[in-house]
Amino acid sequence: EYIKTNTLIPLYELTEQFIMTESEDKVFQLLIKAIRNHTGADRISIMTYDEKKGVLRIKEAIGLDEDIVKTTE
């Protein structure tokens, strides 16, 4: 029960923040911070699929070199 509560409450709070957010970039920023807070990971990236080029691109990252973020495909 404790684990369930500690998982569901942050997800609920994050969902509320998503609903109030007006930009996709802000959603990714909130999500990556929540992942870091929940997992304690030092390096995290969120990637999206570019349908035109058929590649994944890093949309938001923590702990990665900026050059890697900009050039990863």
Side-chain angles (χ1 to χ4, degrees):
E1 187 66 29
Y2 175 77
I3 293 171
K4 191 185 291 185
T5 301
N6 280 348
T7 302
L8 293 178
I9 290 174
L11 284 175
Y12 176 78
E13 291 170 349
L14 187 60
T15 301
E16 284 185 321
Q17 291 176 343
F18 285 171
I19 291 168
M20 293 185 294
T21 300
E22 295 183 13
S23 76
E24 184 180 89
D25 289 338
K26 184 66 175 175
V27 169
F28 287 122
Q29 291 169 6
L30 292 168
L31 180 58
I32 209 160
K33 287 177 185 176
I35 292 168
R36 181 182 59 189
N37 291 340
H38 192 70
T39 65
D42 294 328
R43 290 184 212 115
I44 306 166
S45 67
I46 298 174
M47 302 179 88
T48 57
Y49 183 67
D50 182 332
E51 290 185 37
K52 291 181 182 178
K53 293 192 174 186
V55 297
L56 289 171
R57 296 189 185 277
I58 297 176
K59 192 71 174 174
E60 189 70 34
I62 291 176
L64 297 179
D65 186 270
E66 192 63 33
D67 289 337
I68 292 172
V69 174
K70 289 180 181 178
T71 59
T72 297
E73 287 190 359

